[in-house]
């Protein structure tokens, strides 16, 4: 596979520390509110990446954190803890809202066919590990204690700003207008590893530490969780593009200083979902959720389809019109798949393999999901039987996760029900295949028109496909024998 690597700013051949095995880490949600569909764009694309790697034969260990402490309202070390702010908003405890929004997040993921990572770790469950890392950083001179907090000393690094495809505005995050400068910091990009002092003294969750009672900074949690569950060599780190700086830059700084060797060579960043008036943001208060899409009558998988149509490295503009188009295209696609007959077989293994190879190669070019979607239409036009087409579509759907065959089967069933009632009391019951239902109906029409030769011909055609028809008092029923 070739993947764009934001650490080197190049598309490169994907490599792993252990051949055939991928250690993968994903920055998880901050659970102070519902995820918006922008956040979920990142998780959809990361899900496709994970599934693609498995499809291509890798064994994957995917780890994700749940941020339930330490993420302040500014990505620099300023402001109130987002969790505390959320708890106040809802008159609940931090742990109550953490549980509620973690469950809500995984419910959204389920609706969008996003697989749960192998390991999901809330930050509050691993405080001792974070303290151990911070202590070692202090002991080895990478961290200093000032004004009650422990800071990482960025001047100790030969290299910082690994993801320098940011503009100056982003890089100056620590000294932005309106953000008070923290006079304890020796260098402007130093960041807090452990807080015991903050302007907001009502921090709900605090733990004992060598520096006094306090709580961890946001960046240390991802390093700590990854080091515990992915080990010392991470192959692939993922997140939304806004995480690149300062969050990921700081993760690299502290992990490599702690380990004493390079940590993660490959970085995958998903670009933002924007609305016409800018970036979608949770902190702005009003945002689009999966539940809202459902309330408006959209299938969450139409949103997944919408995301797959675009490349993850391009900003994507959301509008209701764009989503309507995606929903329309998705349901048309499902109808076409529903018209394929599983009985039209057997599967042609050579054709199946050729399509699978082409798909693997196309998606393996920097996760080109729009080519993956186009490949579905190519299968529908292929010169092969329906059973082979269905097998190929099912295989592609292991990566795209659009529930293609299950949804098509539902449509067939519905079509079977409506077609039977539409024909003046003649009911065809069968195994949910509209193509077969239609043939049985045509046999009935032929009999009604006293065209017995045609009726017999259709019965023979069905028999050749292994279908047995039984006349019932309301019409006919069929089954595969
Ligand atoms: P948060 O819950 O705020 O920590 O964000 C969860 C994930 O969503 C992070 O990986 C962010 O980088 C990502 N993210 C935030 N906003 C957007 C957006 N508008 N589009 C895509 N991804 C986003
Ligand atoms: Zn992270």
């Amino acid at each position: 596979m070739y993947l764009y690597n934001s650490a080197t700013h190049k598309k490169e051949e994907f490599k792993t520390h252990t051949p055939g095995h991928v250690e993968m880490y994903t920055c998880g949600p901050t659970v102070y509110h519902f995820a918006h569909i922008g956040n979920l764009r990142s998780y959809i694309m990361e899900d496709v990446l994970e599934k693609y790697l498995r499809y291509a034969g890798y064994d994957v260990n995917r780890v994700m954190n749940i941020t339930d402490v330490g993420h302040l309202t500014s990505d620099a070390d300023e402001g109130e803890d987002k969790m505390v702010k959320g708890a106040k908003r809802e008159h609940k405890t931090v742990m109550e809202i953490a549980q509620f929004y973690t469950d809500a997040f995984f419910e959204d993921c389920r609706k969008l066919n996003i697989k749960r990572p192998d390991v999901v770790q809330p930050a509050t469950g691993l405080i001792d590990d974070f303290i151990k890392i911070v202590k070692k950083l202090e002991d080895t001179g990478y961290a200093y204690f000032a004004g009650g907090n422990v800071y990482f000393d960025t001047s100790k690094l030969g290299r910082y700003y690994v993801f320098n495809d940011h503009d100056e505005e982003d890089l100056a995050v620590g000294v932005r207008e309106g953000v008070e400068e923290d006079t304890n910091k020796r260098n402007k990009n130093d960041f807090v590893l452990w807080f015991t002092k903050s302007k907001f003294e009502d921090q709900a969750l605090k733990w004992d530490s060598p520096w006094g009672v306090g709580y961890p900074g946001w960046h240390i949690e991802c390093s700590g969780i990854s080091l515990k569950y992915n080990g010392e060599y991470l192959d692939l780190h993922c997140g939304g593009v806004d995480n690149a700086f300062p969050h990921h830059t700081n993760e690299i700084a502290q992990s490599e200083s702690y380990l004493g060797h390079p940590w993660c060579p490959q970085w995958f960043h998903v670009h933002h979902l924007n609305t016409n008036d800018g970036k979608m943001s949770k902190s702005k208060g009003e945002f689009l959720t999966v539940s809202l899409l459902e309330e408006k009558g959209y299938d969450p998988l139409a949103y997944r389809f919408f995301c797959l149509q675009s490349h993850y490295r391009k900003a994507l503009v959301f509008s209701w019109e764009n989503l309507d188009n995606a929903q329309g295209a998705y349901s048309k696609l499902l109808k076409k798949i529903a018209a394929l007959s599983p009985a039209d077989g057997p599967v042609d293994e050579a054709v199946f393999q050729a399509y699978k190879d082409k798909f693997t190669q196309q998606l393996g070019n920097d996760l080109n999901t729009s080519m993956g979607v186009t490949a579905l239409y190519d299968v529908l036009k292929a010169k092969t039987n329906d059973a082979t087409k269905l097998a190929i579509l099912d295989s592609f759907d292991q990566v795209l996760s659009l529930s293609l065959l299950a949804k098509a089967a539902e449509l067939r069933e519905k079509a079977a029900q409506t077609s039977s009632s539409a024909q003046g009391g003649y009911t065809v019951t069968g195994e949910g295949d509209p193509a077969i239902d239609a043939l049985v109906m045509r046999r009935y029409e032929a009999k009604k028109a006293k065209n017995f030769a045609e009726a017999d011909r259709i019965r023979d055609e069905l028999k050749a496909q292994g279908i047995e028809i039984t006349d019932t008092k309301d019409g006919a029923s069929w089954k595969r024998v």
Side-chain angles (χ1 to χ4, degrees):
M1 167 176 222
Y2 284 83
L3 204 57
Y4 181 83
N5 183 357
S6 1
T8 57
H9 314 287
K10 280 197 295 253
K11 196 155 79 174
E12 293 170 340
E13 193 178 350
F14 181 72
K15 293 203 177 89
T16 59
H17 188 72
T18 306
H21 178 83
V22 186
E23 287 294 340
M24 179 173 180
Y25 184 82
T26 306
C27 288
T30 311
V31 284
Y32 68 107
H33 220 318
F34 292 107
H36 58 60
I37 59 171
N39 300 129
L40 291 160
R41 178 192 190 199
S42 287
Y43 295 110
I44 288 170
M45 303 318 281
E46 291 158 357
D47 179 67
V48 179
L49 176 59
E50 176 193 348
K51 286 173 179 162
Y52 175 79
L53 290 169
R54 292 185 196 274
Y55 190 77
Y58 286 100
D59 150 54
V60 181
N61 178 38
R62 174 142 178 235
V63 178
M64 189 170 90
N65 66 303
I66 298 288
T67 301
D68 53 0
V69 68
H71 193 172
L72 306 190
T73 48
S74 145
D75 279 355
D77 304 317
E78 290 292 328
E80 198 172 6
D81 188 307
K82 290 187 180 189
M83 294 301 298
V84 175
K85 206 172 161 193
K88 278 189 199 156
R89 184 188 66 231
E90 300 192 10
H91 308 289
K92 296 205 177 107
T93 66
V94 164
M95 277 333 222
E96 277 168 351
I97 66 156
Q99 191 59 56
F100 179 81
Y101 288 116
T102 302
D103 293 346
F105 171 73
F106 285 114
E107 181 57 15
D108 287 345
C109 287
R110 190 189 60 75
K111 289 176 183 165
L112 290 165
N113 282 350
I114 298 171
K115 177 186 164 291
R116 191 183 167 95
D118 303 290
V119 177
V120 174
Q121 175 66 61
T124 50
L126 222 59
I127 301 294
D128 287 348
D129 287 58
F130 308 152
I131 292 175
K132 199 183 95 196
I133 298 170
V134 177
K135 186 81 187 75
K136 183 170 170 192
L137 290 173
E138 189 187 33
D139 291 347
T140 49
Y142 285 104
Y144 58 92
F145 185 69
N149 298 329
V150 185
Y151 294 85
F152 187 91
D153 185 349
T154 52
S155 72
K156 292 285 185 311
L157 300 172
R159 181 169 166 258
Y160 190 60
Y161 297 155
V162 180
F163 307 106
N164 57 5
D165 46 359
H166 306 272
D167 55 27
E168 284 300 312
E169 174 77 358
D170 284 338
L171 290 176
V173 67
V175 288
R176 239 184 340 228
E177 244 182 272
V179 175
E180 246 177 75
E181 216 172 318
D182 180 345
T183 50
N184 295 316
K185 290 185 182 180
R186 291 184 191 160
N187 313 288
K188 82 171 165 52
N189 282 306
D190 289 359
F191 54 93
V192 178
L193 296 165
W194 186 267
F195 289 96
T196 71
K197 289 271 180 311
S198 121
K199 271 183 290 180
F200 297 91
E201 289 303 339
D202 54 352
Q203 179 71 12
L205 301 172
K206 292 185 189 180
W207 295 264
D208 251 340
S209 82
W211 311 280
V213 175
Y215 60 99
W218 169 40
H219 316 300
I220 196 71
E221 72 178 64
C222 285
S223 292
I225 290 169
S226 179
L227 289 172
K228 177 160 175 110
Y229 297 106
N230 294 117
E232 286 195 8
Y233 294 93
L234 181 62
D235 296 305
L236 177 61
H237 195 308
C238 312
V241 72
D242 61 314
N243 282 164
F245 185 83
H247 184 49
H248 291 162
T249 302
N250 292 346
E251 278 187 45
I252 296 173
Q254 63 204 3
S255 300
E256 297 198 344
S257 306
Y258 173 77
L259 290 168
H261 62 68
W263 175 49
C264 179
Q266 287 157 131
W267 291 76
F268 175 87
H269 287 120
V270 181
H271 285 247
H272 276 167
L273 179 80
N274 299 316
T275 53
N276 282 328
D277 44 356
K279 184 191 141 187
M280 203 167 292
S281 153
K282 265 196 254 188
S283 50
K284 281 191 203 157
E286 272 183 24
F287 50 83
L288 299 171
T289 58
V290 170
S291 314
L292 184 76
L293 299 189
E294 285 183 302
E295 274 164 36
K296 287 183 178 281
Y298 293 96
D299 181 340
L301 291 181
Y303 176 65
R304 186 174 173 111
F305 187 81
F306 169 68
C307 290
L308 297 186
Q309 286 174 316
S310 298
H311 198 257
Y312 74 91
R313 253 179 339 106
K314 288 208 177 90
L316 177 60
V317 177
F318 176 85
S319 70
W320 293 109
E321 196 189 343
N322 290 347
L323 187 61
D324 281 339
N325 290 338
Q327 170 126 320
Y330 179 55
S331 40
K332 258 195 207 152
L333 174 67
L334 293 175
K335 274 189 202 135
K336 284 190 180 149
I337 299 172
L340 300 173
S341 167
D344 180 23
V347 173
D348 184 328
E349 291 301 334
V351 173
F352 176 83
Q353 196 55 46
Y355 271 84
K356 196 177 161 182
D357 290 347
K358 192 169 166 210
F359 178 78
T360 309
Q361 190 218 332
Q362 284 176 331
L363 239 80
N365 179 11
D366 199 19
L367 206 71
N368 194 338
T369 50
S370 64
M371 285 290 269
V373 171
T374 307
L376 298 173
Y377 295 95
D378 291 344
V379 175
L380 288 169
K381 284 184 263 163
K383 287 193 178 64
T384 186
N385 61 37
D386 288 0
T388 307
K389 290 182 187 179
L390 285 165
I392 301 168
L393 292 168
D394 199 23
S395 167
F396 293 0
D397 212 28
Q398 286 173 29
V399 179
L400 304 177
S401 286
L402 292 164
S403 294
L404 297 175
L405 267 60
K407 293 242 176 205
E410 272 170 32
L411 279 182
R412 273 195 209 113
E413 223 152 273
K414 254 193 219 154
Q417 282 160 11
T418 46
S419 75
S420 56
S421 56
Q423 299 286 331
Y426 189 84
T427 309
V428 178
T429 49
E431 295 176 6
D433 185 332
I436 305 291
D437 291 347
L439 268 182
V440 176
M441 197 59 86
R442 260 173 45 209
R443 174 177 161 265
Y444 163 68
E445 301 286 348
K447 276 208 317 202
K448 215 166 60 171
K450 303 216 179 320
N451 186 349
F452 297 110
E454 174 65 0
D456 288 348
R457 191 196 63 73
I458 294 173
R459 176 183 280 267
D460 291 345
E461 189 182 327
L462 288 164
K463 206 169 163 193
Q465 289 191 38
I467 307 286
E468 188 181 87
I469 311 175
T470 314
D471 289 319
T472 63
K473 76 177 164 37
D474 305 319
S477 79
W478 62 265
K479 63 173 186 220
R480 292 199 168 82
V481 287

